[in-house]
Amino acid sequence: MKILTFIILTFFSIYSHAHFKGETLIYAQLLTDPHLSNIKLGAKAMHHQLPYNQALWDLTAYTLWHTIHHANSDHDEFDDTNAWLIKAITEYDNPRYRALLVELNSQKQSSKIKRYLKKGLKTLPKGSQDSFNINTYQVIDISTIQPQQHATKALFQQLQLGSTLDDVLKALGEPNGVGQYLNNKFRFFIGNQTIQNLRLTYSDIGSMELRFYENKWVVDKKSLQASQSITALKPQYQDLVSRLISNDAPQIKAAAREAMALPLSDQQSLDLLAQYLWDNRQTQDKYMADSMAWLCKVLGHSNNGRYKTFLETLAASNAHEKIAHYAEGSAEKLIYQANGFTPNIPTRS
């Protein structure tokens, strides 16, 4: 039985990668992400580029059905995410997905989702003999697909800003993690605007932000990960921790909010954060200091007394004033625990 299970899993892994690789794998990972914001980014990408891959469009249709029926309808991103999924499917203009929209339109939906469904049904052609059927759709576990990559820190650093997503995949291979990169910009007559860009993460190397420009994704920013290795961490934490110990202040802050929302309680991950915090406690960059303060909050939010003495020591050290302040406040939330975390302090030979 175990051998049969292994064969089935191997088959689905090979089958999956045959349909999803490179750019399509990135979109599939976004569409199957548990966070609505990442699903919305995947829907936007599908809408912008309209890739010619039926397996990916079937996954988009399944994602729409699954999100409407199983995601938290009270979430701020719920209506917008589903609207983008409907918009993408409508733009693809394939009658295969008309029956699904008809079914969803017959059910109780919010006014925004109803509006997009009705608009889509006016656009999509009729008469498909090969309609998408949610009852016979075989869900593919995207997480079983191992990224095909040849990334190194040297190749990562050589990659030029302005390179396309295709350039990135050719140079580095497929990333270990994908998601959104929120870029806050001020625009005259509009004010502050948050732009949802694409983020790719390469474990133990770094991550990058790509924006959609002239019908393609282009690299806008690159960030290196700290020297600590994350490969020993559980897979579900690697992407998050890689961003938490990067040299990109906005990314650290965004990742810290994610970590607190979980909340992040994995001790191996928290140890890496604490070490990174200690190593960067003397930063004079006000933006990095602000991000390090957020890491203090992550440790305090973990409810793990292992970090109480460490945070007290950090607060009393020669750390940046803001870091010391938040370290002290975070330490107060924790209960003392023996065998607390002790940072590695390099010794001079």
Side-chain angles (χ1 to χ4, degrees), residues 276-284 292 314 317-321 323:
Y276 184 67
L277 184 52
W278 180 262
D279 293 342
N280 291 274
R281 68 192 185 282
Q282 292 178 285
T283 181
Q284 295 304 306
M292 293 299 106
L314 181 63
S317 72
N318 55 353
H320 186 283
E321 181 181 20
I323 297 173

Side-chain angles (χ1 to χ4, degrees), residues 109-152:
Q109 310 290 355
S110 70
S111 58
K112 182 171 183 175
I113 293 175
K114 275 283 189 183
R115 186 168 70 251
Y116 276 85
L117 285 170
K118 290 178 179 178
K119 185 177 179 181
L121 288 170
K122 287 180 181 179
T123 305
L124 279 181
K126 300 179 181 179
S128 174
Q129 295 181 348
D130 185 30
S131 294
F132 174 80
N133 189 337
I134 193 66
N135 296 313
T136 58
Y137 178 70
Q138 291 186 330
V139 182
I140 298 171
D141 187 358
I142 303 299
S143 66
T144 63
I145 303 176
Q146 294 299 314
Q148 307 296 305
Q149 63 174 231
H150 37 270
T152 64

Side-chain angles (χ1 to χ4, degrees), residues 63-331:
T63 301
L64 171 62
W65 178 87
H66 187 270
T67 303
I68 282 181
H69 288 97
H70 297 287
N72 179 10
S73 59
D74 294 326
H75 195 285
D76 292 342
E77 299 272 18
F78 182 83
D79 280 0
D80 210 26
T81 298
N82 288 303
W84 272 104
L85 287 165
I86 296 166
K87 190 174 181 179
I89 291 171
T90 302
E91 286 289 322
Y92 187 51
D93 201 32
N94 190 328
R96 174 174 171 79
Y97 304 105
R98 182 178 179 83
L100 175 66
L101 297 194
V102 169
E103 179 187 346
L104 293 175
N105 191 49
S106 68
Q107 300 168 357
K108 184 179 180 181
Q109 310 290 355
S110 70
S111 58
K112 182 171 183 175
I113 293 175
K114 275 283 189 183
R115 186 168 70 251
Y116 276 85
L117 285 170
K118 290 178 179 178
K119 185 177 179 181
L121 288 170
K122 287 180 181 179
T123 305
L124 279 181
K126 300 179 181 179
S128 174
Q129 295 181 348
D130 185 30
S131 294
F132 174 80
N133 189 337
I134 193 66
N135 296 313
T136 58
Y137 178 70
Q138 291 186 330
V139 182
I140 298 171
D141 187 358
I142 303 299
S143 66
T144 63
I145 303 176
Q146 294 299 314
Q148 307 296 305
Q149 63 174 231
H150 37 270
T152 64
K153 187 166 285 189
L155 289 172
F156 183 90
Q157 290 177 304
Q158 289 169 16
L159 195 72
Q160 298 295 311
L161 298 183
S163 299
T164 66
L165 176 56
D166 189 50
D167 295 331
V168 174
L169 295 173
K170 285 179 180 177
L172 305 177
E174 295 160 353
N176 300 99
V178 302
Q180 65 170 347
Y181 189 109
L182 295 179
N183 196 330
N184 298 304
K185 289 189 175 181
F186 177 83
R187 294 187 174 181
F188 289 107
F189 308 113
I190 297 177
N192 290 320
Q193 189 176 27
T194 301
I195 300 169
Q196 190 183 31
N197 286 335
L198 176 65
R199 171 186 52 76
L200 307 182
T201 303
Y202 290 86
S203 294
D204 283 348
I205 298 174
S207 58
M208 62 184 71
E209 174 192 3
L210 296 92
R211 60 188 172 93
F212 201 73
Y213 176 71
E214 294 185 348
N215 206 37
K216 57 183 178 291
W217 292 102
V218 296
V219 179
D220 217 30
K221 180 192 286 188
K222 297 190 301 176
S223 311
L224 287 173
Q225 181 192 307
S227 58
Q228 292 104 311
S229 176
I230 63 170
T231 53
L233 297 181
K234 295 175 183 176
Q236 64 264 38
Y237 300 124
Q238 290 185 12
D239 179 59
L240 177 60
V241 174
S242 180
R243 289 179 280 138
L244 286 166
I245 60 173
S246 75
N247 64 354
D248 181 7
Q251 180 171 239
I252 294 172
K253 188 187 294 187
R257 289 193 179 102
E258 285 184 41
M260 292 174 68
L262 283 174
L264 181 63
S265 58
D266 178 67
Q267 187 168 297
Q268 276 187 297
S269 300
L270 294 172
D271 280 1
L272 283 176
L273 263 62
Q275 184 64 51
Y276 184 67
L277 184 52
W278 180 262
D279 293 342
N280 291 274
R281 68 192 185 282
Q282 292 178 285
T283 181
Q284 295 304 306
D285 184 314
K286 65 178 183 179
Y287 300 108
M288 280 300 290
D290 185 51
S291 295
M292 293 299 106
W294 274 89
L295 292 188
C296 292
K297 292 169 70 174
V298 172
L299 293 178
H301 203 68
S302 71
N303 292 322
N304 190 334
R306 173 176 170 79
Y307 304 101
K308 181 177 180 67
T309 302
F310 165 72
L311 287 167
E312 290 173 340
T313 303
L314 181 63
S317 72
N318 55 353
H320 186 283
E321 181 181 20
K322 187 166 190 177
I323 297 173
H325 173 73
Y326 277 87
E328 183 178 12
S330 297

